[in-house]
Amino acid sequence: MTAGLVTALALAWYFAGPPWYLSQTSTPISHQEEVVLIGLQAVAKGYLPYVGTASVQYGPGTQVAAYWLMHHVTSFSVVGFREAWALFVWAGVSVLFAVFFLAFGYARGLAASLLSALVYPGLHLLAFQPGGSFDGYFGWDNPLRYVGAIALVLLLPAVVRRSPSWRGAAAGAAIGALWGLTSYLAQENLAGGAVGALAIGGLLLVSGSASWRALWTALVAVFAGFALIWIPVLAFYAAQGQLIEFLHQYFLFPRAVAAGANDTPWGGFNHTPSPYSHLFYALPFLLAALALLTVFQVRPLRIAREWPQERVTLLATVLATALLYEGVLLRSDASHLTGTELMVPALVIMTATVLPRLLGVQRRATVAVAGVALIVASFALLPHAAYSRTSLRLWAEAPYLDRQHLAAAPPPGKPATLAGERVGPGLDDATRCCQESPVSMSDFVRLMEQIHTLVGNRTAYVANFHGQYPGLIYFGADLNPAPVSSDPYSSIETQRDLRAFLADFRTRVLPQTQVVLTFTVKAPEAQSFLARYPNAHRVTLHYAGQPYYLLLR
Amino acid sequence: MPARQPKTRELCLLYMDTIDMPSQSPLTPSDGIPRAAIGDHDAVASAGVMRRPTGTPRPGPAARWLDRALRIANAGPRLFYRAALGSLAVTSALAMTTAALIRPHDQLPVAQRNMIAGALIALCLSAALGLVSLAAGRSRPPAWLDRVLAPRERAAIWLALAAWFPFLLLVVYYRAKATFPPPERYLYFPYDDKRWETAAYLLGVIAPAIWLTTAARVLAVGRCHPRTWRAWCTGLFPRIVVADPSLRANAVRAR
């Protein structure tokens, strides 16, 4: 076990660990980062994390951890945020690989980890890019969003096997704490882990593979670990009188997505072609077949009872993959397939090494041939480029070569202005500031510095910005956000909620707001501000050749 | 050889291992109590952790229903096959009703029409198969079928299907609801109610494994004649288990 853990951590460090040299990643600030930045800025200005002004649609723990890391480990800048995010990715990959080694043993864990890192794209969305730098989908892609559910479903059978005993209780509490922590970081872990744990527990019970007492004590231990993380969090918000608001925000997006909001057909409503369409369409049928095959045994053909460990592990792997895939059915695109792609390599390895024996193959040579055939057949789900020798070599070399050439580059100088510091060293002289924007970073920094100088410590409300989310302006210009009820761009989904937000803005927020920033005075918030303060002073700035107004009372 | 063991004895070991044990003596490696020999009923019984399922059930409606249910559980797959067909027929009829009733005002969308047509085909199929089954009466199925899949396994599969079919109504309901306009006007993304897809997916991928395993367990416990409904239910949740199934085979071989 120790050798497995050491190997897992070493692999995770090589593929996703520091040093990342993120000051040399000149990727423009993405919309996904902009959405997250407003919450971080609000927390920095003293607002309660995750609720009200600091609300985000993602997990509360991710915001708190990112803020803490930016303040104490990295820096309070976009580059610092990316470094904090890289830490999340590293932690997520470490947990994922460690779970593979613990659940499947050394050889299978190694194979699944390497397949994840080199072939399947789940870990490539934010990684050392071949011939580039550590780059990708900052602010969104993060294995920690899924590894809690994966760890719980894959490791629960081992806990049940050891229960009731102190070792079983300790392992259950540890897995429960991990599940609780990752559920605090991202909502995806909560539902996936709960459904998966109940399903695998129920199957262990009715198949006669676990006793009621063993299962019960294991689940109690898991829940105790989960509660260890969540009780302080809930107690904190209860003490602040914001518990209902916190829970509402936590479940807002999962409930909306489950009901149909933001859901798309595969490839979006424009049906953008994707090289992973085979995987998306074939996987449910393969999972259904695998789940059925796993509960049958042959010679004689019958429904299996008292499952051996290998059968349980294979079924847990199928279950974990199936539950992660369910999310892709709602928001169906290649990015949202990431969670499933974290598990598919493990599914391939477990199927190849366990299924032939479960189906009655006994000769060692036949088992080996069948296993290899299954692994080769699984590549049919992927585009050829994903498993070509060139691709494998590039992804294997990238972490080493990227670090080599990035280390050779001279370190960037310290930014001269506050806005430059907010962007971060290195990124402040990028050729483009933001996603889908032609403006250079230096021009953007200049505008942010102007805004900061004009607004100062006044309470500001950013109604909109040209092509970008307001979070970018709050953060870039270090503004003091108005005490709004939530972020209208990430935490308000419906027209009705927007009307309620605007009504609250007019009656409660406006008296406390000293500046409104907007590219059009026709924005409802700007109209309300001008109606209430008809003598408001208007300053016109420019971004990409277009006016941007500051309304100061 | 394990395959030569009398079926009733093996099944009842399973039943006794799991039902008639008082709440003490967990018999786990951690508590210091040696685990009872696998499959060794007498050793477990003499250790005081279970009782033989002896005695006659108390008379009364519950006992009569239990007796009837036990006879069905022991009767083989034919009744479960008919139950599955009945379940399919009822599900089809309810699906047609659901699709016809849950629809936008003054229109019957294509999705509803397709569901009604599909349910009608399923209803006709179940009726035809039911008639064939009744016409066949008590004639024995071909021997090769028993060799491929034992009658009790077929019974479990049909029971699982009988329990699975009604859940398809969830898919029908959500598919019908998806034809309604969005309940809210969403700001940034279009609305696409895909609950029926996730319901179908979960029913197709995860539910069959659970249903099949549970059905096999229900029948295995039922074949050992539990004395009460409660005993049957508690028998589904074993209190001690075989640590390694290969040990069971060894124990049986040793006898």
Side-chain angles (χ1 to χ4, degrees):
Chain A
M1 191 173 84
T2 310
L5 283 177
V6 168
T7 311
L9 296 180
L11 282 173
W13 170 78
Y14 176 72
F15 284 109
W20 300 289
Y21 302 104
L22 284 168
S23 57
Q24 294 176 48
T25 299
S26 55
T27 306
I29 301 168
S30 70
H31 294 323
Q32 203 60 48
E33 290 171 299
E34 294 164 5
V35 169
V36 179
L37 290 177
I38 181 175
L40 297 170
Q41 177 67 12
V43 176
K45 292 293 180 185
Y47 287 101
L48 201 61
Y50 199 61
V51 292
T53 313
S55 62
V56 286
Q57 60 182 236
Y58 301 104
T62 300
Q63 185 187 62
V64 171
Y67 176 79
W68 188 89
L69 286 169
M70 287 165 73
H71 249 283
H72 298 287
V73 181
T74 62
S75 62
F76 207 73
S77 64
V78 175
V79 173
F81 171 73
R82 288 179 176 179
E83 286 169 339
W85 204 266
L87 273 164
F88 292 157
V89 172
W90 180 30
V93 175
S94 301
V95 174
L96 181 74
F97 287 178
V99 169
F100 284 170
F101 276 86
L102 288 174
F104 308 140
Y106 193 92
R108 288 173 187 156
L110 182 64
S113 301
L114 289 176
L115 212 53
S116 294
L118 300 177
V119 178
Y120 283 84
L123 296 179
H124 296 168
L125 217 52
L126 181 49
F128 284 102
Q129 304 296 325
S133 58
F134 191 84
D135 201 358
Y137 213 169
F138 287 105
W140 189 87
D141 180 53
N142 178 5
L144 286 172
R145 293 173 73 167
Y146 311 102
V147 293
I150 292 173
L152 180 60
V153 177
L154 290 188
L155 298 180
L156 184 63
V159 173
V160 173
R161 216 163 38 241
R162 285 164 177 76
S163 295
S165 70
W166 280 111
R167 276 183 70 193
I175 293 169
L178 176 66
W179 178 45
L181 181 65
T182 51
S183 299
Y184 177 53
L185 290 170
Q187 295 96 324
E188 288 90 338
N189 287 302
L190 183 70
V195 175
L198 291 177
I200 195 75
L203 279 166
L204 287 175
L205 203 58
V206 292
S207 66
S209 312
S211 70
W212 169 247
R213 186 160 183 250
L215 181 67
W216 173 246
T217 48
L219 289 178
V220 166
V222 166
F223 185 74
F226 181 86
L228 194 70
I229 300 296
W230 272 94
I231 286 174
V233 174
L234 298 179
F236 171 77
Y237 280 95
Q240 303 289 330
Q242 294 287 319
L243 181 60
I244 301 295
E245 184 61 28
F246 173 83
L247 292 174
H248 171 78
Q249 185 66 26
Y250 186 83
F251 290 109
L252 175 74
F253 208 62
R255 275 192 305 148
V257 170
N262 295 8
D263 294 357
T264 61
W266 174 247
F269 286 95
N270 297 327
H271 298 284
T272 312
S274 164
Y276 294 97
S277 294
H278 283 130
L279 186 63
F280 176 78
Y281 286 116
L283 200 56
F285 299 100
L286 292 174
L287 287 168
L290 278 175
L292 270 184
L293 286 174
T294 308
V295 298
F296 276 97
Q297 71 179 56
V298 293
R299 297 181 182 177
L301 180 63
R302 67 185 182 102
I303 297 164
R305 301 182 188 98
E306 295 157 5
W307 299 344
Q309 191 180 331
E310 294 226 311
R311 189 185 291 274
V312 173
T313 310
L314 177 59
L315 194 76
T317 310
V318 173
L319 264 180
T321 315
L323 289 169
L324 289 174
Y325 181 86
E326 194 204 346
V328 199
L329 276 178
L330 301 171
R331 190 76 184 273
S332 306
D333 54 44
S335 303
H336 287 83
L337 200 55
T338 307
T340 314
E341 286 161 352
L342 296 180
M343 268 309 295
V344 172
L347 181 74
V348 168
I349 296 299
M350 285 306 292
T351 304
T353 55
V354 176
L355 193 65
R357 282 188 201 282
L358 291 187
L359 294 181
V361 179
Q362 287 173 344
R363 285 182 56 205
R364 204 176 272 186
T366 317
V367 168
V369 169
V372 171
L374 282 169
I375 290 176
V376 171
S378 73
F379 289 148
L381 297 172
L382 298 170
H384 178 258
Y387 54 88
S388 67
R389 279 177 64 183
T390 313
S391 170
L392 294 181
R393 187 171 53 78
L394 286 174
W395 283 109
E397 290 175 349
Y400 174 74
L401 295 179
D402 282 3
R403 287 182 184 120
Q404 287 282 314
H405 86 83
L406 291 168
K414 197 176 184 306
T417 62
L418 182 138
E421 282 178 12
R422 276 307 171 97
V423 170
L427 188 60
D428 59 337
D429 58 2
T431 50
R432 277 176 52 222
C433 76
C434 324
Q435 188 178 339
E436 296 169 12
S437 168
V439 175
S440 70
M441 189 64 89
S442 55
D443 286 349
F444 173 76
V445 166
R446 202 170 302 121
L447 176 67
M448 292 302 107
E449 194 62 28
Q450 278 181 306
I451 291 174
H452 177 75
T453 307
L454 288 165
V455 176
N457 277 331
R458 292 185 179 95
T459 306
Y461 176 77
V462 182
N464 47 46
F465 189 68
H466 296 287
Q468 313 300 329
Y469 288 109
L472 182 65
I473 312 306
Y474 284 115
F475 190 85
D478 189 20
L479 301 182
N480 186 15
V484 290
S485 55
S486 59
D487 174 24
Y489 287 89
S490 79
S491 300
I492 290 180
E493 293 285 322
T494 65
Q495 196 72 47
R496 188 180 55 177
D497 291 345
L498 182 62
R499 280 198 298 272
F501 169 83
L502 290 174
D504 177 66
F505 180 82
R506 280 191 299 271
T507 55
R508 187 183 61 83
V509 180
L510 213 46
Q512 304 175 62
T513 304
Q514 295 166 299
V515 189
V516 167
L517 297 90
T518 178
F519 62 72
T520 168
V521 290
K522 290 178 181 168
E525 296 96 324
Q527 292 278 301
S528 301
F529 188 82
L530 290 173
R532 186 176 181 105
Y533 307 109
N535 297 324
H537 181 52
R538 182 189 304 188
V539 177
T540 305
L541 303 173
H542 289 90
Y543 175 82
Q546 294 177 300
Y548 191 63
Y549 305 111
L550 273 65
L551 309 175
L552 301 101
R553 74 185 221 210
Chain B
M1 296 294 289
R4 290 175 187 270
Q5 291 296 316
K7 285 176 186 170
T8 50
R9 184 173 183 188
E10 191 180 347
L11 283 174
C12 288
L13 285 174
L14 176 66
Y15 157 64
M16 284 182 235
D17 277 0
T18 57
I19 298 177
D20 287 336
M21 194 180 73
S23 57
Q24 301 164 0
S25 303
L27 294 184
T28 53
S30 60
D31 56 19
I33 299 173
R35 186 174 288 233
I38 304 307
D40 186 346
H41 168 264
D42 291 331
V44 178
S46 62
V49 295
M50 63 167 58
R51 297 188 302 272
R52 285 175 184 277
T54 54
T56 52
R58 276 172 288 174
R64 277 200 298 278
W65 277 108
L66 176 65
D67 189 45
R68 210 169 291 167
L70 290 176
R71 265 187 278 131
I72 291 170
N74 285 281
R78 190 187 310 274
L79 286 172
F80 293 104
Y81 171 67
R82 289 176 185 168
L85 289 180
S87 171
L88 177 60
V90 172
T91 303
S92 304
L94 290 174
M96 283 191 284
T97 314
T98 307
L101 292 178
I102 299 176
R103 60 191 170 93
H105 190 59
D106 282 346
Q107 55 172 309
L108 190 63
V110 176
Q112 270 84 339
R113 286 203 295 270
N114 289 344
M115 284 191 289
I116 290 171
L120 193 59
I121 291 169
L123 183 63
C124 294
L125 186 69
S126 59
L129 290 174
L131 288 173
V132 170
S133 172
L134 288 173
R138 290 190 166 274
S139 63
R140 283 191 59 77
W144 63 264
L145 187 58
D146 286 353
R147 281 198 301 275
V148 172
L149 194 61
R152 62 180 176 182
E153 307 301 330
R154 296 207 304 276
I157 291 170
W158 292 123
L159 176 60
L161 271 174
W164 183 79
F165 282 133
F167 284 87
L168 292 176
L169 290 171
L170 280 174
V171 182
V172 173
Y173 173 77
Y174 283 129
R175 184 66 191 95
K177 290 293 274 186
T179 59
F180 284 71
E184 299 264 15
R185 189 175 158 211
Y186 285 86
L187 295 174
Y188 305 116
F189 284 94
Y191 177 89
D192 188 7
D193 185 351
K194 298 173 91 175
R195 287 176 296 178
W196 69 275
E197 278 185 43
T198 49
Y201 168 75
L202 290 174
L203 270 179
V205 174
I206 296 180
I210 298 173
W211 263 234
L212 274 172
T213 316
T214 308
R217 182 84 186 170
V218 166
L219 293 184
V221 176
R223 284 189 200 102
C224 295
H225 304 281
R227 297 174 65 199
T228 61
W229 285 106
R230 186 159 179 255
W232 200 342
C233 291
T234 52
L236 302 180
F237 309 116
R239 292 189 177 182
I240 57 171
V241 292
V242 179
D244 184 343
S246 60
L247 297 179
R248 172 187 280 273
N250 292 339
V252 176
R253 279 192 201 101
R255 289 205 299 272

